[in-house]
Amino acid sequence: MSAESTEEITDAVTEAQEETLSKTASRLEEEGDIAADYLEELLDIADIDGDIDIEVRNGRTYISIAAEEESPALERLVGRDGEVLEALQELARLSVLSATDSRSRLVLDINGYRKDRAGVLQQIAEDAVAKVKENGGTVALEPMSAYERKIVHDAVADLGFVSESEGEGAGRHIVVSAD
């Protein structure tokens, strides 16, 4: 194969990859718009003030709802341990599914709950790794959502340890070990 034909193939592959990324970004932006419209309507019905922000990063759509001032109504939309937030996220994903016939992995945050929770999850991962270092063996963590488990898995891996999800449904949890 000549250098010229190799270069043509490389250019064609690069162009195809750029087109795929462009379509993906466009699809994620569309998901964000659909979900934001759904959530805005929900906030209007409930007469709750909140600003909706859409961001596309790392192959996901992130939607955040926040208020300029403290808002007990928005806090109720987070719920205890983020339960209401998780339900609203699933409803937003369903609104995208019904509009596009495509599943969404969008992430919803309200009043910075997920950001704050990520810090707590990082500490949980660090504490579990410290226990494994101290005692050996494994450490089982409390059950958590798939999104939270991903954060913990990443944190444990960054610390050079291994984690696995075990259990099913609401009891699905992480077990941390040295190997």
Side-chain angles (χ1 to χ4, degrees):
M1 188 180 289
S2 71
E4 187 175 294
S5 62
T6 302
E7 186 176 320
E8 288 174 7
I9 292 171
T10 302
D11 289 345
V13 168
T14 302
E15 188 175 305
Q17 288 172 334
E18 288 174 359
E19 185 177 328
T20 300
L21 286 174
S22 175
K23 285 181 182 177
T24 300
S26 175
R27 182 182 55 79
L28 292 173
E29 288 170 4
E30 179 187 11
E31 283 182 9
D33 290 339
I34 292 166
D37 288 345
Y38 173 81
L39 293 165
E40 186 172 3
E41 190 172 324
L42 182 102
L43 292 174
D44 286 345
I45 290 169
D47 196 26
I48 298 173
D49 290 329
D51 296 323
I52 299 176
D53 184 45
I54 306 168
E55 185 180 352
V56 174
R57 65 179 192 272
N58 302 327
R60 273 198 177 182
T61 303
Y62 291 82
I63 299 177
S64 59
I65 302 174
E68 291 180 20
E69 298 176 9
E70 192 171 318
S71 173
L74 276 183
E75 287 302 319
R76 285 192 296 277
L77 291 182
V78 172
R80 193 189 75 194
D81 298 328
E83 290 173 338
V84 177
L85 172 61
E86 289 290 332
L88 289 173
Q89 177 175 280
E90 287 307 310
L91 289 172
R93 287 176 175 179
L94 285 172
S95 74
V96 172
L97 177 63
S98 69
T100 65
D101 290 330
S102 176
R103 285 186 42 87
S104 172
R105 295 178 39 218
L106 72 84
V107 176
L108 175 63
D109 192 10
I110 297 176
N111 270 353
Y113 174 82
R114 290 204 192 273
K115 183 180 177 186
D116 294 343
R117 182 75 176 141
V120 170
L121 293 169
Q122 177 69 35
Q123 188 60 54
I124 288 171
E126 290 173 6
D127 292 348
V129 165
K131 285 181 185 174
V132 170
K133 283 181 182 177
E134 183 179 313
N135 303 328
T138 62
V139 173
L141 303 178
E142 294 294 318
M144 56 186 75
S145 71
Y147 180 76
E148 290 183 339
R149 287 193 310 273
K150 166 109 175 74
I151 292 170
V152 173
H153 283 305
D154 291 347
V156 169
D158 288 347
L159 294 167
F161 282 69
V162 177
S163 60
E164 291 184 33
S165 291
E166 293 184 358
E168 294 187 23
R172 194 141 173 92
H173 63 281
I174 292 176
V175 177
V176 179
S177 64
D179 57 355

